[in-house]
Amino acid sequence: MMRNHKSKFFIFIFLISISSIYSQYTNVINSNKPGFSESPYSVGKGVYQFESNLFWRNTSIEPTFSRPQSFGLDLLFRTSFLSEKLELNTQISYQRDEIAFKNIFTSSYFTNGFGRFTIGAKYLVFQQEYEDKTKEVRSWKRRNAFDKKRLIPSVAIYAGLNTDMVNDIYKTGSMSPKAGILLQNNLSSDFNIITNVFYDYIGTDFAEFSYIITGTINLSDRWSTFFENQTIFQKEQTNSNLGTGLAFLYSRNLQVNASGRFLFEGKAQGFYAGFGVSYRIDRHKDSYKELDENGKEIKDTPISKYNKKQNGFFSRLFSIFTKDKSKKKTRKRVKRKRN
C-alpha cells in the first residue's frame, strides 16, 4: 500500500532540470527544454529521450548581409547505456532561412537545410549530495537551515563534434569539435540554477565562446517556469538573448513547453518564439543493495556481486550485441533499497 502511494507521489514531481540524489534516472521525464542550457545529469541507462522545439526567429536587417528570419525544428536525442553518468546525444536543426541584402534597396531569398548537426557526449564528474533534513525532529532551526553544500554545483564535462553536414550558409569548411562545462546548483527543492560554458567550432574561422545561465522554478506539481540569459562571443560581433517560458508535465514520460526571447545580435534586435514536446521511452531497470538490520549495506552478497558484474565496462559493451538467455534464480531478501 505504501509502495503505491510513493509511486503516485513521484509521478507528480516536476522539475525541468533536476536529478535524483542517488542516481541519474528520475521517475518523471527530465528535459532540457524549453531552455537552451543543458543539465549535467544523464537521462539514465535504458532511457531513449526525444526533445523537440518548433521555433520562429525574426530580427531587423542591420548588416549589409544578414539572416533576419528563420523558421524550423530543433531535435535532440538523448540516451545512456554504458554508464549512469555518461550520456550520448545528437542535436539536429532543420530550418528555412531568409538571406537579406540591404543597400539602397532591400532584396532577399530563402534557403532550406540543416542549421546544426552535432554529435556529443557528457559525463558527470562530480555529483553533489545534500542532507536529508526531513528526519530532523529535535531542532526546527537545523531542519530549516540552508545547506551550504547547495552552493557547490554538480559538474559534468561535454565533448561534441560538429559534422558540417549543414546548409552552405552554416558551413565552417570542415568538421569541428565543441567542448563545454555543465554546472547545476539545486538551491532548494523548487529552485535550481544551471550554468553552461561552451567553446564551439574550435579550430575554424567561426570559433565562438558562449555561456548560458538558467534559473528554473517549480510552480506546482505539473507547472514550471524558467528565466535564461545566453551570450555568444564571435569574432565579428556579440549575440545575446533573454528568455522565459513555461513547461507542463502531461504525464511521467511526456512534457510540453513554450518559450519566448528577446534577441540582440550585434546591432540587430528581434524576437524568438518556440513550442516543443519532450517524450521518453523508459526501459530503465534499477539495481539493488542488500541491507542488514541496521540499514547498512552488506558487501559480497549474491546481489552485490551481480551488480558489480553488470556494471563492468566490457560486460555492458558486449551486452549491446548479445542477449543473455539464462535466467538466474535468487532467494528473497528481507530488506533492500534502490540505488
Side-chain angles (χ1 to χ4, degrees), residues 61-65 100-108:
I61 304 175
E62 292 299 332
T64 303
F65 292 96
F101 174 79
K102 183 179 180 181
N103 200 344
I104 300 176
F105 301 99
T106 300
S107 60
S108 64

Side-chain angles (χ1 to χ4, degrees), residues 10-15 28-30 221-224 247-256:
F10 280 120
I11 290 177
F12 291 102
I13 294 178
F14 177 49
L15 289 174
V28 297
I29 187 171
N30 177 16
D221 291 337
R222 288 181 177 266
W223 289 95
S224 183
F248 176 71
L249 183 69
Y250 183 81
S251 68
R252 65 189 300 266
N253 294 319
L254 177 63
Q255 172 192 292
V256 294

